Amino acid sequence: MRANGVHLGDGLVTTSAPIQLPRLPTLRAGRERAATSSGMMVEVTAHFGFTCTGSSDDGRERTITTPISPTYVAEILRLQEACATEEDLHPVVAAAITESYFTDWGTRADGLRADFTDVQSIDFQF
């Protein structure tokens, strides 16, 4: 009898129950809804730097959790389906965070652009 297992590093962790994966139709529905109407949450830990006339805020490491618009979600999903690397996603995620977090959906800090480097993590939540 073969045990179910998950490979973690150099070892094998066995389980007595089958590993439950999300149902594919549920994932597709969540992704489609996020890309067309609801958007999604993103959490990024990275060094953020800014470009803006008159900016007095020096770049620094931050952890930011913010909603992003369906427009950016659609672009992120399109890039992921095209096998983009995480680095390929950085400019799109930075633009999405600039829109929602730093410029409060375009109501302040006109012309601000946020970029990030030294990314420690990016997590998407549908």
Side-chain angles (χ1 to χ4, degrees), residues 51-121:
T51 304
C52 183
T53 303
S55 174
S56 61
D57 197 1
D58 290 332
R60 65 181 183 272
E61 185 176 300
R62 299 174 182 232
T63 297
I64 295 174
T65 303
T66 188
I68 59 175
S69 72
T71 303
Y72 286 108
V73 173
E75 180 64 12
I76 289 165
L77 295 176
R78 185 190 66 73
L79 288 169
Q80 286 179 329
E81 288 173 5
C83 299
T85 66
E86 184 177 301
E87 289 78 25
D88 294 334
L89 299 176
H90 290 181
V92 178
V93 174
I97 291 172
T98 297
E99 176 189 71
S100 67
Y101 184 84
F102 292 110
T103 67
D104 197 18
W105 305 102
T107 62
R108 62 184 174 93
D110 189 39
L112 178 110
R113 191 182 97 214
D115 295 308
F116 55 77
T117 58
D118 302 323
V119 176
Q120 294 180 21
S121 67

